[in-house]
Amino acid sequence: MSTETVSTRPFPDQKPGTAGLRKKVVVFQQPGYLENFLQSIVDAAGNYRGATLVAGGDGRYFNDQAIQTLARIAAGNGVERLIIGRSGLLSTPAASHLIRTRRAAGGLLLTASHNPGGPDGDFGIKVNTASGGQASESMMEAVYRHTRSISRYLTAAVGPVDLDRTGESRYGPLTVEIVDPVAEYAALMERLFDFGGIRSLFAGGFTARYDAMHAVTGPYASEILHRRLGLPADWILNAVPLPDFGGGHPDPNPVDAADLMSVMTGDDPPRFGAASDGDGDRNMILGPGMVVSPGDSLAVMTAMATEIPGYRKGLAGVARSMPTSRAVDRVAAALDIPCYETPTGWRFFCNLLDDGRIDLCGEESFGTSSSHVREKDGLWAVLFWLNLIAVTGKSVPEIIQAHWRRFGRNAFSREDYFIADAGIGDDLLARLEASVSTMIGTRCDGRPIRQADVFEYEDPVDGSVSGHQGVRVVFEDDSRIVFRLSGTGTAGATLRIYLERRIEDGPLLCRPAVELNAPLSQAARSIASVGDLTGLSSPTATV
Ligand code: G1P
Ligand code: ZN
């Protein structure tokens, strides 16, 4: 089979964001667009000649076609073996695990995570390296530079690859291995958690719901929660993956996981609820009538990790992204283990994990995981909580409240402002960055500001420095506001404002975070002149 060299012209907009390249499906459908990006990955990021690569996606619209293009470009560039999840499906954490266990040179994940799907929705590609984690900022920058000057891509007329039959086939020089996307991941979960204990919990009448949001975790939940652990099949909501996620927004948050929320806040709610996102790396944990804040979830997991078989021997350290609540910092201090503060985006945790410095990490955006893979992991978090409930015999609210009584609470909420004109968002942030040095010692709405800065991170493992990672404003009472712009959107700009208030004890301990943070929300609007600069009088979304 011959390799063909096809001449092409650069597209100017292939700049990756927080997690790979995300664009509207119609943008990806332009002739040469996907080919250019894939070729740029090969040329700039990886020497894949003779290598094994893992590929799969979250099943969104264009997933199946993109896999075929990927196979042709892989063959054209001398890739020896492609390991693909059956039907082109692989959750992000399962892909990370496969890359590691199969010693692949890397992986290409076809996903736009929690962004909407369907022909009018979004598509995306994430690049993972041999460690199973996302490619570094500098590597993605090199890919972007390459896309700006690309003049040819290499392809071979292989396929179409039969995605539905597991096993090995040869397509010219390329071997394609179609694998069950769930099997190895499920085996890993069985090694980490006490499946017997969780099975007994369900056998004893414990009620629960899991919302797969018509995304990739449907088959994973059916195998692990239903077949192996005994959760009744009809307690898994939206279990069938659909190319448009059933028209929904596959993001496990109280607004988008509406089906689950209505069950959990209705009459006689189940005792446990959970959801995951498009590609299976996010999680939301609920108790009857309550959502566990992701920062609290990470803090609880850290405090109770030794209750779980896979973490019995304790944690080397923990990490959280900068905007994530500092609840876990308190636990780490009590356990006398290091707690790292990294920029937003999972890839910053990977060096710390590879270097053995941390075992658990998390982000406020409903992402938590551990050293078992190099991505965040939705179902893993669900199993962690179920295991905690099984060993302690306590309910979700009991676990959370006991935690707050012991460590105090960092009440956390986030407000997102969607700004149609991206330039206005950039301007707002630039003004904030310019004003930090003059803020310290001043007051905002009567509150003295103790610290204000632009977050910069120096990776302790490789020494790389990432600047402009958000603006932090901390008040005398340790309340904190963080401002940053989203790096995952495909249009306009989204200003994220993260609010956090420390409550030591007393009658406020269990009040809703949004209520507790209302004064901080006002302060944030005034510090950033949100109304004047954007014309928006209230957030587009409050999480
Ligand atoms: C968002 C989240 C971030 C997460 C990323 C990928 O990025 O805030 O924590 O790592 O999605 O899931 P953002 O849109 O804020 O750049
Ligand atoms: Zn995701």
Side-chain angles (χ1 to χ4, degrees), residues 22 92 111-114 126 277-282 376:
R22 290 186 196 175
T92 289
T111 172
S113 187
H114 52 284
K126 285 198 321 197
D277 73 328
D279 59 329
D281 58 357
R282 292 186 174 196
K376 57 196 172 216

Side-chain angles (χ1 to χ4, degrees), residues 51-94:
T52 296
L53 285 183
V54 169
D58 58 19
R60 66 180 56 233
Y61 187 83
F62 197 55
N63 192 114
D64 45 358
Q65 288 174 53
I67 289 257
Q68 301 294 347
T69 304
L70 193 157
R72 290 193 293 271
I73 298 285
N77 283 281
V79 169
E80 174 113 5
R81 175 181 291 261
L82 260 188
I83 302 175
I84 304 178
R86 190 176 50 236
S87 307
L89 295 180
L90 268 180
S91 80
T92 289

Side-chain angles (χ1 to χ4, degrees), residues 292-368:
V292 177
S293 174
D296 284 337
S297 178
L298 178 62
V300 166
M301 287 177 169
T302 303
M304 302 178 78
T306 51
E307 303 281 353
I308 307 289
Y311 305 90
R312 231 17 126 223
K313 63 179 192 345
L315 308 172
V318 289
R320 61 166 171 82
S321 67
M322 183 274 280
T324 302
S325 93
R326 293 159 294 165
V328 69
D329 302 37
R330 302 261 166 175
V331 182
L335 294 174
D336 199 21
I337 55 173
C339 177
Y340 296 86
E341 182 176 45
T342 58
T344 296
W346 201 262
R347 62 174 171 238
F348 293 99
F349 294 134
C350 292
N351 274 353
L352 301 173
L353 290 163
D354 285 343
D355 203 45
R357 290 173 184 245
I358 61 168
D359 286 298
L360 290 186
C361 43
E363 295 192 275
E364 56 69 42
S365 52
F366 296 89
T368 343

Side-chain angles (χ1 to χ4, degrees), residues 1-6 35 39 68-78 152-158:
M1 181 159 314
S2 61
T3 298
E4 200 189 333
T5 303
V6 180
E35 288 86 345
Q39 185 66 50
Q68 301 294 347
T69 304
L70 193 157
R72 290 193 293 271
I73 298 285
N77 283 281
R152 62 95 183 95
Y153 60 81
L154 307 177
T155 184
V158 299

Side-chain angles (χ1 to χ4, degrees), residues 360-398:
L360 290 186
C361 43
E363 295 192 275
E364 56 69 42
S365 52
F366 296 89
T368 343
S369 195
S370 86
S371 39
H372 69 291
V373 287
R374 292 294 180 272
E375 290 276 6
K376 57 196 172 216
D377 191 344
L379 263 174
W380 168 90
V382 174
L383 294 168
F384 201 117
W385 270 89
L386 286 170
N387 200 154
L388 282 184
I389 294 166
V391 262
T392 59
K394 289 194 182 134
S395 68
V396 174
E398 282 166 354

